[in-house]
């Protein structure tokens, strides 16, 4: 199963049917489906011309956040960056759309600290922008703006129930997130949840009780993100091989017996033809503009402050990783590039 098929299913399969069942989204959904097909044809045309354009972009719009979560991925890198300004972010998203990129996941830090994301959405109405957020900045003003930008879809991070979420994100966070979910649901706005899945919580977050609870709060989509041990000493949190297989089976089963869309990332990459990084299925742009093969492999040989996205897609590093695609096999930690980080470091040296 190729990643483009998964993306198409995201847009026109169960997700598409959910859109059409919500009166607020019907005209929006019809228009987006039409434009998504056009974007797919554009990617295919560029592929025929020799340029590989992924259907999906992951764009970290900031390192800043209003919370101080334990084990935060952004904090783990401990880097000071000169973040992309508003005009640069607007330019990047326009370039992505013009190349045929269909879905741009917005990440951080906390994306809702950058209100330019509303302009990014309004300037590119044919692109879907899922926003990975802690949810705590979604106040009445943000709710009003979300109602006018239906292609911005909040994906709220939780760790399980109240105990697990507050332990990582701070006391009272879970209650605040539940209130946000209630208001999103009452405004008939689509949203999802994101669950970092570890060896410690997989039993809980794949239980019937938990999935029923997530559906009851009004979420339309659930992303299960496999834990990657960016921070040394946390390798024990990684899913075991049997647990990863169980997660993939769980997600597959939910496609048939749930009204929600369930997605695991990176998921069973072998089903998609192997590692999806470096433009095969997606690529990552850091908050400073570095073009990286994957959020969990933060190495780069180019920056969008001084070149176009099209040029970056053909950088030596990206081409080298794609040329060695067959060597990227899944291992501990979910992400194939992370599991093969020593080989990846050598690839980076060779790309210089």
């Amino acid at each position: 199963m190729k990643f483009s098929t998964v993306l198409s299913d995201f847009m026109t399969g169960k997700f598409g049917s959910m859109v059409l069942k919500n009166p607020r989204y019907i005209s929006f959904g019809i228009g987006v489906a039409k434009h998504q097909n056009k974007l797919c044809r554009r990617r295919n045309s560029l592929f025929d011309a020799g340029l590989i354009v992924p259907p999906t972009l992951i764009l970290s719009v900031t390192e800043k956040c209003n919370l101080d979560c334990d084990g935060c991925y952004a904090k783990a890198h401990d880097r000071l960056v000169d973040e992309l300004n508003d005009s640069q972010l607007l330019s990047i998203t326009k370039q992505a759309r013009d190349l045929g990129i269909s879905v741009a996941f917005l990440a951080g830090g906390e994306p809702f600290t950058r209100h330019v994301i509303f302009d990014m959405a309004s300037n590119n109405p044919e692109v879907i922008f899922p926003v990975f957020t802690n949810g705590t900045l979604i106040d009445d003003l943000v709710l009003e703006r979300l109602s006018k930008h239906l292609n911005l879809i909040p994906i709220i991070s939780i760790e399980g129930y109240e105990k697990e979420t507050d332990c990582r994100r701070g006391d009272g966070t879970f209650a605040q997130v539940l209130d946000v979910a209630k208001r999103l649901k009452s405004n008939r706005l689509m949203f999802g949840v994101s669950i970092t899945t570890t060896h410690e919580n997989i039993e809980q977050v794949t239980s019937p009780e938990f999935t029923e609870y997530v559906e009851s709060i009004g979420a339309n989509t659930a992303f299960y993100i496999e834990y990657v041990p960016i921070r040394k000493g946390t390798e024990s949190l990684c899913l075991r091989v049997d647990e990863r297989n169980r997660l993939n089976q769980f997600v597959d089963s939910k496609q048939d017996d749930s009204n929600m869309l369930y997605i695991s990332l990176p998921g069973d990459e072998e089903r998609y033809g192997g590692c999806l990084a470096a433009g095969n299925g997606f690529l990552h742009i850091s908050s400073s503009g570095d073009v990286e093969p994957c959020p969990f492999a933060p190495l780069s040989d180019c920056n969008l402050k001084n070149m176009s996205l099209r040029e970056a897609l053909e950088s030596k590093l990206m081409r080298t990783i794609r040329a060695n695609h067959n060597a990227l096999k899944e291992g501990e930690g979910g992400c194939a590039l992370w599991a093969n980080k020593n080989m990846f470091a050598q690839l980076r040296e060779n790309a210089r």
Side-chain angles (χ1 to χ4, degrees):
M1 183 186 300
K2 296 297 184 182
F3 187 68
S4 56
T5 303
V6 176
L7 178 67
S8 175
D9 209 39
F10 178 76
M11 292 312 309
T12 60
K14 184 176 287 187
F15 183 84
S17 66
M18 289 190 296
V19 167
L20 295 177
K21 289 178 182 178
N22 187 328
R24 184 165 214 168
Y25 285 82
I26 290 177
S27 61
F28 160 79
I30 293 172
V32 165
K34 178 181 177 181
H35 285 297
Q36 290 282 314
N37 288 330
K38 288 182 179 179
L39 294 173
C40 183
R41 290 196 297 271
R42 194 172 302 163
R43 292 195 304 272
N44 290 338
S45 176
L46 290 170
F47 180 82
D48 292 339
L51 178 67
I52 295 177
V53 178
T56 302
L57 178 71
I58 304 169
L59 176 55
S60 292
V61 297
T62 185
E63 299 286 309
K64 300 179 180 67
C65 185
N66 61 311
L67 296 184
D68 186 24
C69 301
D70 181 46
C72 173
Y73 168 74
K75 287 195 306 179
H77 293 299
D78 192 25
R79 55 190 177 189
L80 295 175
V81 299
D82 178 19
E83 292 189 346
L84 294 163
N85 61 36
D86 288 359
S87 63
Q88 289 166 334
L89 286 171
L90 290 169
S91 173
I92 289 168
T93 48
K94 180 182 183 301
Q95 292 177 58
R97 180 201 66 198
D98 291 345
L99 288 168
I101 290 175
S102 300
V103 177
F105 289 93
L106 303 183
E110 172 49 53
F112 281 108
T113 63
R114 297 290 302 270
H115 282 197
V116 68
I117 67 176
F118 294 103
D119 296 322
M120 292 159 61
S122 61
N123 290 356
N124 304 279
E126 56 272 84
V127 177
I128 301 298
F129 293 91
V131 186
F132 286 100
T133 173
N134 61 48
T136 61
L137 296 183
I138 301 179
D139 56 17
D140 289 340
L141 177 60
V142 171
L143 280 171
E144 183 180 350
R145 299 188 76 175
L146 286 171
S147 69
K148 298 175 182 177
H149 300 84
L150 297 181
N151 56 332
L152 273 177
I153 302 175
I155 308 296
I156 302 172
S157 297
I158 57 176
E159 310 302 324
Y161 295 109
E162 181 174 20
K163 176 183 176 181
E164 295 77 19
T165 300
D166 284 4
C167 180
R168 184 181 183 196
R169 299 182 176 272
D171 291 344
T173 301
F174 189 74
Q176 192 172 354
V177 165
L178 279 188
D179 181 64
V180 168
K182 183 184 299 183
R183 287 187 287 152
L184 286 165
K185 182 178 180 180
S186 66
N187 281 273
R188 295 183 299 171
L189 292 171
M190 300 188 72
F191 72 97
V193 295
S194 170
I195 305 114
T196 300
T197 311
T198 72
H199 172 67
E200 293 182 347
N201 73 356
I202 186 170
E203 292 282 344
Q204 180 187 80
V205 300
T206 58
S207 68
E209 295 79 13
F210 182 78
T211 55
E212 288 173 11
Y213 180 75
V214 168
E215 293 185 28
S216 73
I217 67 175
N220 305 105
T221 306
F223 286 86
Y224 283 76
I225 314 295
E226 293 182 38
Y227 181 79
V228 175
I230 299 297
R231 191 175 59 178
K232 290 184 179 180
T234 63
E235 290 79 7
S236 63
L237 293 175
C238 294
L239 296 180
R240 313 300 191 253
V241 172
D242 63 314
E243 292 170 336
R244 183 181 301 125
N245 291 336
R246 172 184 168 180
L247 177 61
N248 291 330
Q249 292 168 3
F250 161 77
V251 169
D252 285 344
S253 70
K254 297 303 289 185
Q255 305 311 337
D256 298 325
D257 65 8
S258 171
N259 293 323
M260 282 179 56
L261 180 64
Y262 285 78
I263 300 172
S264 63
L265 296 175
D268 186 358
E269 292 182 309
E270 298 306 315
R271 293 172 61 192
Y272 310 145
C275 180
L276 302 174
N280 287 309
F282 61 84
L283 80 161
H284 177 243
I285 299 172
S286 76
S287 60
S288 63
D290 287 337
V291 179
E292 303 169 346
C294 172
F296 300 112
L299 296 173
S300 175
D301 66 346
C302 57
N303 188 285
L304 295 185
K305 290 174 182 174
N306 47 46
M307 70 167 55
S308 70
L309 179 57
R310 180 170 184 147
E311 290 172 319
L313 286 169
E314 298 186 284
S315 79
K316 186 174 181 180
L317 180 60
M318 293 295 173
R319 287 187 285 108
T320 301
I321 293 172
R322 291 196 294 264
N324 290 271
H325 182 254
N326 291 335
L328 294 173
K329 303 297 183 182
E330 284 191 50
E332 290 292 328
C335 173
L337 276 174
W338 178 261
N340 295 274
K341 52 186 175 293
N342 292 332
M343 185 197 77
F344 178 66
Q346 187 60 51
L347 289 178
R348 184 195 187 200
E349 292 300 316
N350 292 341
R352 287 179 176 176

